[in-house]
Amino acid sequence: MRPFDSFAMIDWSGGNDTGPRPRRDAIWMGTVLGGVEGQPRYLRNRRLAEVALAHLIETESAARRRLLIGFDFPFGYPAGFARALTGRADPFAVWDWLEERIIDGPGSNNRFEVAGAINRLLGGGAGPFWGNARPNHDVAGLPRNKRGYRTPFPERRQCERRARGSFTCWQLAGAGAVGSQALTGLPVLARLRRRFPEEIAVWPFEPLAAPVAFVEIWPGLIERAVKRAEARGGLRDAHQVRLMARALARLPAADLGEMLAVDTGEEGWIMGLGHEDRLTQAAGERLQPPPLRDDCFALPAGVDWTPVDAALARLRDSLHPVVGQETVPLTQAQGRVLAAPVSAQRSNPPQANSAVDGYGFAHAALGPGDQVLPLVPGRAAAGAPYDGAVPAGHAVRVLTGAALPEGVDTVILEEDVTLGAGEIAFRPGIKPGANTRAAGEDVTAGQSVLDAGRRVTAADLALLAAVGVDSLAVHDPLRIAVISTGDELVDPGDTAGPGQIFDANRPMLLGLVRDFGFQALDLGRVVDDREALRAALDRGAEAAHLVLTSGGASAGDEDHVSALLNEAGAMAEWRVAVKPGRPLALGLWQGTPVIGLPGNPVAAMVCTLVFARPAMGLLAGAGWHVPQGFDVPANFAKSKKPGRREYLRARMRDGRAEVFKSEGSGRISGLSWAEGLVELPDGAAEIAPGDPVRYIPFSAFHHP
């Protein structure tokens, strides 16, 4: 069987038109077309649904993509019904029989009357159908409930006996009933099958050799995934079609083939029955990347002091995104990281248009000297194009943004013309194409406009809306848990006893995470107790994609971060040749990366900016971010020893970089005083006022 390229899921309804506002218990369609997940589409009645299905079949066929469409109502009835009704044990004979008799409009249909007629014909007026939902109107032969009901056929199909929570196809009314959906849905499928005889094959009654497959599949098979999505808000029906289309699109070809390998008769089958776990897993809300390796932070044997550039290169080569992916509407995409490149769906501008208010004409029709052109009736305005073509030698009134009518390629400013009775006059010299914008002069349809890894900005939203993009594949927001460790710490506002200090690191690190554009989770302050820290790391590994700790990252008796990571077998202690800083503990806790920062606030901030920030970008799917620095004159003097790269708290004043009065890493006030860092090289350096130094503003570490 040739693989499918596109998938759609239809949640059907047997009721009347449900109105213009999206609502539950209506018709919904979810799609994944050519690998792109679309937003669920609300279809208020069956006529619109039939038009939408026909359009979907036509467009996917034109794109040469193989399409599978799932429907959530029975394709067949229990054995014996087809022959009793039509004289043939053929499910399509039932489809055609119903299509001839069901009268269906947006406001009403005769499904109950047709069911009553079948009952009178086959069951003496007591079955097989039941469930008349028409208030104050009895239908001859159709019981309102099962009192006195009897059916000459099995109550359920074989597949329905196996499907948990299934309803019999004979029930026409009540929550969960599928009988009305089949009576109104099968005629639609019959018409589509007749309209596209070469394109459609119906599973499991026909070999799936055609470009389009109709299959029966029920969203109840992925109930766990639907309930998880529903708990976060939104309409259940929309979640059902979105998640089932996603599940079908994500299934490996072998799994999909196995689910379709069913040999059944006239009753049909529910695709995926017996494979609920695989479907539910494929419907998961996130496309998850593989986990990091346990040895991802390991340094080569024999490495002692690690230069800054080597440490950064090691991080860059060892990490990859750890966040999942989802598709969101454009209006919800600001601040999210793109998981795939975005291409323009239409050109901008879509048509050649006028850049000014004036008059348009064909430049080639102008003669020498002063011009006098007759005006055609009407005008062209933005959103109200001129209806017709402008004859050569004539002009038409055009307003800014109006699409240029046929026969117009040049516009002259209204200030440059003399307006007479039905004509305009102007001096010679206007150039061809003046005051116009060419179609696609900004962006052409199909052109790539944004790269994967970009964080979507407000300006991006304007661009994407202009080129017809309404949804985006984005990474989940990176969640970063922050933990402070140490018996000496107390929270601001508490009483500090002898030998205790207020926890400065946790509020600083939480603020930095938010400044970077990521989600910050505060896991609090943990005393120097291994089991308490173990519990905090457990919470962080469950709730976050990355855990930041401060303190306890070295090799002392109370350095429990290092000890626990070593115990877990996924620990690397990096002694980085950097000032302030040096000890960094990196490892995995239950598969979640942990970065153990120094306890000193100045060192913790510098190491976060220099090492943790670019690592966060990679984990978030935004790529490796190198902060933009600038070579500026120094407003200080310094003699630097070789061996370590140094970062000085600095700020720009009068075009020069000045540094904080003290390099002491305990002087936290220097962090607030500074507006950036001066980066000094690894080797020795003698710096005098006026010498060039590298200045990196704090803003350069934030998201691009």
Side-chain angles (χ1 to χ4, degrees):
M1 183 186 71
R2 185 163 66 88
F4 291 93
D5 309 296
S6 297
F7 300 85
M9 179 67 210
I10 312 300
D11 186 355
W12 201 252
S13 172
N16 296 331
D17 186 297
T18 46
R21 186 174 180 178
R23 50 160 287 182
R24 57 178 299 178
D25 299 327
I27 301 175
W28 286 83
M29 178 167 66
T31 58
V32 179
L33 306 180
V36 178
E37 184 174 320
Q39 289 299 304
R41 183 176 175 186
Y42 169 70
L43 300 164
R44 58 187 289 181
N45 59 57
R46 284 176 293 281
R47 288 186 181 177
L48 290 177
E50 187 171 343
V51 170
L53 286 166
H55 179 70
L56 178 64
I57 292 167
E58 289 170 343
T59 54
E60 291 304 292
S61 296
R64 299 183 179 276
R65 291 197 288 250
R66 196 154 189 247
L67 172 66
L68 185 149
I69 308 179
F71 298 85
D72 71 334
F73 55 83
F75 281 12
Y77 286 87
F81 177 73
R83 184 176 295 279
L85 184 67
T86 70
R88 292 183 293 150
D90 179 2
F92 295 128
V94 177
W95 292 25
D96 295 336
W97 192 95
L98 291 173
E99 198 271 326
E100 290 176 2
R101 291 163 176 80
I102 292 289
I103 301 171
D104 196 0
S108 64
N109 63 72
N110 67 340
R111 68 186 188 277
F112 295 114
E113 286 72 15
V114 171
I118 294 174
N119 283 0
R120 296 194 300 273
L121 176 66
L122 302 181
F129 290 102
W130 65 275
N132 172 21
R134 294 205 191 285
N136 306 316
H137 177 67
D138 290 332
V139 176
L142 182 63
R144 288 192 177 274
N145 50 50
K146 295 192 75 173
R147 193 177 306 130
Y149 164 82
R150 61 182 182 275
T151 174
F153 310 105
E155 187 169 2
R156 281 177 167 80
R157 299 180 294 163
Q158 291 291 329
C159 58
E160 289 161 350
R161 295 173 190 172
R162 292 182 50 183
R164 186 177 179 180
S166 67
F167 284 73
T168 171
C169 55
W170 306 126
Q171 181 180 347
L172 303 184
V178 296
S180 286
Q181 296 181 31
L183 288 181
T184 57
L186 293 178
V188 172
L189 301 193
R191 284 192 293 274
L192 290 170
R193 188 166 174 263
R194 190 166 60 249
R195 178 174 174 178
F196 302 101
E198 303 299 324
E199 286 86 357
I200 295 174
V202 179
W203 178 89
F205 308 128
E206 298 175 311
L208 294 183
V212 179
F214 284 177
V215 305
E216 177 187 343
I217 184 168
W218 294 10
L221 300 177
I222 57 168
E223 181 65 10
R224 297 198 309 274
V226 173
K227 282 188 173 181
R228 285 196 297 268
E230 194 179 9
R232 291 189 289 272
L235 291 172
R236 174 182 177 84
D237 311 60
H239 288 310
Q240 289 186 151
V241 296
R242 175 177 61 88
L243 294 177
M244 184 58 84
R246 173 191 291 174
L248 294 171
R250 288 184 181 174
L251 280 176
D255 287 1
L256 186 62
E258 182 180 347
M259 293 181 194
L260 292 171
V262 173
D263 184 14
T264 184
E266 65 182 275
E267 289 190 340
W269 197 258
I270 302 168
M271 181 193 160
L273 186 61
H275 304 276
E276 288 85 346
D277 287 344
R278 273 187 275 183
L279 279 169
T280 301
Q281 183 178 5
E285 278 294 283
R286 303 291 183 259
L287 180 63
Q288 298 293 347
L292 296 173
R293 303 186 319 273
D294 285 347
D295 63 348
C296 64
F297 296 118
L299 292 172
V303 170
D304 189 8
W305 288 98
T306 304
V308 169
D309 288 339
L312 292 173
R314 183 67 182 177
L315 280 175
R316 185 175 62 246
D317 294 341
S318 302
L319 301 178
H320 63 247
V322 297
V323 290
Q325 300 176 17
E326 64 174 338
T327 299
V328 300
L330 182 66
T331 53
Q332 298 175 18
Q334 186 171 359
R336 302 294 294 273
V337 176
L338 291 176
V342 184
S343 297
Q345 301 300 301
R346 69 181 304 195
S347 298
N348 183 50
Q351 298 171 285
N353 65 88
S354 177
V356 299
D357 291 342
Y359 298 88
F361 47 84
H363 190 277
L366 298 180
D370 293 343
Q371 305 295 316
V372 178
L373 300 181
L375 286 171
V376 298
R379 69 174 192 174
Y386 179 76
D387 185 14
V390 177
H394 290 65
V396 65
R397 174 69 165 155
V398 293
L399 302 181
T400 302
L404 297 184
E406 183 181 348
V408 172
D409 60 16
T410 303
V411 175
I412 189 167
L413 280 163
E414 60 182 21
E415 295 89 343
D416 293 338
V417 307
T418 300
L419 177 63
E423 60 183 11
I424 58 171
F426 54 91
R427 298 286 186 184
I430 190 169
K431 296 180 179 179
N435 301 312
T436 65
R437 307 183 184 103
E441 70 175 21
D442 180 24
V443 177
T444 59
Q447 177 182 339
S448 179
V449 290
L450 294 178
D451 294 330
R454 179 179 177 87
R455 192 179 298 275
V456 179
T457 66
D460 294 336
L461 297 180
L463 170 62
L464 295 171
V467 297
V469 175
D470 65 350
S471 62
L472 297 169
V474 296
H475 287 288
D476 294 341
L478 186 73
R479 299 188 301 274
I480 300 176
V482 175
I483 303 172
S484 285
T485 69
D487 287 340
E488 74 279 13
L489 300 177
V490 295
D491 288 332
D494 291 347
T495 300
Q500 290 187 311
I501 59 174
F502 292 115
D503 182 5
N505 280 349
R506 202 166 87 251
M508 175 186 70
L509 294 174
L510 291 167
L512 283 173
V513 169
R514 287 188 287 265
D515 282 349
F516 297 155
F518 306 125
Q519 291 185 356
L521 305 178
D522 184 1
L523 295 191
R525 174 179 50 81
V526 179
V527 297
D528 287 324
D529 177 83
R530 197 157 298 186
E531 293 310 309
L533 180 58
R534 187 192 307 275
L537 290 174
D538 286 344
R539 294 196 305 273
E542 181 178 359
H545 300 107
L546 170 68
V547 178
L548 280 184
T549 69
S550 61
S554 190
D557 292 343
E558 299 297 335
D559 288 322
H560 298 294
V561 172
S562 301
L564 283 175
L565 291 177
N566 271 316
E567 180 183 310
M571 159 70 184
E573 182 181 346
W574 290 13
R575 295 203 295 171
V576 184
V578 63
K579 180 182 177 182
R582 288 196 290 189
L584 277 180
L586 300 105
L588 296 180
W589 187 262
Q590 298 179 9
T592 299
V594 177
I595 298 180
L597 299 165
N600 181 285
V602 176
M605 181 168 177
V606 169
C607 288
T608 298
L609 294 175
V610 176
F611 301 106
R613 170 61 183 96
M616 292 175 190
L618 259 185
L619 297 172
W624 185 265
H625 175 58
V626 178
Q628 176 65 61
F630 305 91
D631 290 334
V632 299
N635 194 26
F636 62 93
K638 178 176 173 61
S639 177
K640 178 191 175 297
K641 297 178 181 180
R644 289 200 286 171
R645 184 169 303 183
E646 295 189 18
Y647 291 91
L648 309 179
R649 287 153 283 176
R651 64 186 186 187
M652 292 294 297
R653 290 295 183 268
D654 298 324
R656 295 188 171 212
E658 61 182 34
V659 297
F660 190 58
K661 58 187 177 182
S662 170
E663 294 182 19
S665 57
R667 303 287 289 271
I668 302 176
S669 62
L671 294 176
S672 180
W673 174 91
E675 296 167 359
L677 300 173
V678 161
E679 181 185 57
L680 301 180
D682 298 350
E686 294 291 335
I687 300 167
D691 289 346
V693 292
R694 190 72 168 168
Y695 174 74
I696 308 173
F698 286 148
S699 60
F701 293 98
H702 299 168
H703 63 76

